[in-house]
Amino acid sequence: MNFELLLQLIINGVIVGLLYGVVGMCFVLVYKSTQIVNFAQGEFLLVGAWVCWALLVYLQLPFFLGFLLTLCFMAVFGVFLQMIVLRPMIGEPIISVIMVTIGLSIFFQSLTKWIFGVSPQSYPTVFDTQSISIFGLNIELAYLMSTVIALIIMVSFFLFFKYSKHGLAMRATAFDQQVAQSLGISVKQVFAMSWGIAATVSATAGVVIGMVNGVSDSLSSIGIKVFPAVILGGLDSIVGAIVGGITIGILENVAEFFDSQYLHIGNMYDIAPFYVLLIILWFKPYGLFGTRDIERI
């Protein structure tokens, strides 16, 4: 067994899994505050990556300036999307709202193809050295940057929800919207804020992945790949999203290793997380950290 390759893949899995966890937190954030599963989450990654690429290529901006402008744009984009498209759906059956998010997913995929084309594009060189060697393992500098960013986002989420006024309002809204409204909390404002944060954080992951793999339509599939991580951890658990993301990231890479070395089935990298998802749901239908919801009739 090639243990060096296995270790390399596990480390890559942890790094990518942290990004999955960050996107998974956005799923949880939107679900907890609005009770909506956003199937357009992957398109937030795609739109953010394309916007940053356009700023760097067409306007020739420095990377970090273009990155910050992208985050500002995505924050406004998320709030605007919630206000114009999703706010009129408040009170409608949940399946109708879910279908709207699926429609948004298809719309933004088509829109980005129309604007930017279907060919993958590479980001301009950001770092003079693309990778560094740590204990004999080659690590992409973009992935190291993503690890730092992911950890900062996770700590920021914790501090935001625990100590800030808006974070406490979002927690109260997630617990009971009617009670929160009776306490003077603007539920509509909480909804808009949750979508703005989700769009901004997802765009961060999209830019980082785009730096390594280039920008293409495949970025939108990250939303579907992250969904098993969210279900695995629990749809209403921030901690579960992080644990689920790291677990799925490692599983993908370990499955690829054993498939390439021994099984030779093919495509195990993509389908292994869904097999694990099914097994977990057989025994823990609410996920590893999800709240068990019991309804009495």
Side-chain angles (χ1 to χ4, degrees):
M1 182 181 290
N2 190 340
F3 287 102
E4 183 177 347
L5 175 61
L6 178 60
L7 181 59
Q8 175 81 63
L9 289 173
I10 290 175
I11 292 176
N12 289 343
V14 171
I15 294 173
V16 174
L18 284 172
L19 287 177
Y20 289 170
V22 166
V23 179
M25 288 194 301
C26 298
F27 265 109
V28 174
L29 176 64
V30 170
Y31 178 78
K32 281 176 70 69
S33 60
T34 66
Q35 299 300 303
I36 295 173
V37 178
N38 178 23
F39 285 101
Q41 194 71 52
E43 279 60 43
F44 286 165
L45 280 79
L46 181 63
V47 172
W50 275 123
V51 169
C52 187
W53 178 86
L55 291 174
L56 300 183
V57 172
Y58 295 144
L59 300 184
Q60 301 290 313
L61 296 179
F63 171 76
F64 289 103
L65 177 59
F67 182 55
L68 290 175
L69 289 176
T70 299
L71 298 186
C72 294
F73 170 83
M74 291 303 296
V76 176
F77 173 78
V79 171
F80 178 80
L81 191 66
Q82 195 280 330
M83 291 175 59
I84 301 301
V85 179
L86 293 159
R87 185 171 293 179
M89 298 297 295
I90 292 177
E92 298 296 328
I94 191 66
I95 187 63
S96 301
V97 184
I98 290 175
M99 292 305 296
V100 167
T101 65
I102 294 174
L104 287 173
S105 171
I106 298 171
F107 171 76
F108 286 122
Q109 284 189 44
S110 302
L111 182 64
T112 53
K113 288 179 183 177
W114 177 58
I115 296 174
F116 300 105
V118 297
S119 301
Q121 300 291 339
S122 299
Y123 270 69
T125 301
V126 177
F127 302 108
D128 295 332
T129 302
Q130 296 301 311
S131 63
I132 59 174
S133 179
I134 301 177
F135 300 113
L137 301 174
N138 290 321
I139 307 295
E140 294 274 355
L141 279 177
Y143 276 162
L144 287 180
M145 182 186 79
S146 76
T147 302
V148 174
I149 291 175
L151 293 175
I152 291 173
I153 290 173
M154 291 173 185
V155 173
S156 299
F157 260 67
F158 172 77
L159 296 176
F160 174 76
F161 281 115
K162 192 167 183 64
Y163 298 109
S164 74
K165 180 177 71 173
H166 295 296
L168 293 173
M170 294 182 77
R171 289 171 60 190
T173 304
F175 180 74
D176 192 307
Q177 293 180 11
Q178 291 183 342
V179 172
Q181 201 160 18
S182 68
L183 294 173
I185 295 172
S186 173
V187 174
K188 291 181 178 180
Q189 187 181 66
V190 168
F191 285 3
M193 191 186 311
S194 65
W195 279 81
I197 294 173
T200 305
V201 174
S202 296
T204 302
V207 170
V208 171
I209 296 173
M211 289 171 58
V212 177
N213 300 326
V215 190
S216 67
D217 293 337
S218 62
L219 274 176
S220 62
S221 66
I222 299 294
I224 300 299
K225 293 179 70 174
V226 168
F227 195 61
V230 176
I231 299 298
L232 176 65
L235 195 55
D236 59 350
S237 172
I238 293 289
V239 174
I242 299 170
V243 174
I246 295 174
T247 302
I248 294 298
I250 294 173
L251 279 173
E252 284 181 339
N253 285 272
V254 171
E256 181 182 27
F257 172 80
F258 282 101
D259 185 46
S260 62
Q261 298 291 316
Y262 305 107
L263 302 177
H264 306 295
I265 297 174
N267 208 32
M268 288 297 293
Y269 180 86
D270 293 319
I271 63 177
F274 293 95
Y275 285 137
V276 174
L277 171 64
L278 289 174
I279 294 171
I280 291 293
L281 290 180
W282 280 339
F283 300 100
K284 299 274 291 183
Y286 298 100
L288 298 176
F289 298 93
T291 302
R292 187 172 183 179
D293 186 15
I294 300 176
E295 296 184 7
R296 300 192 184 278
I297 300 176

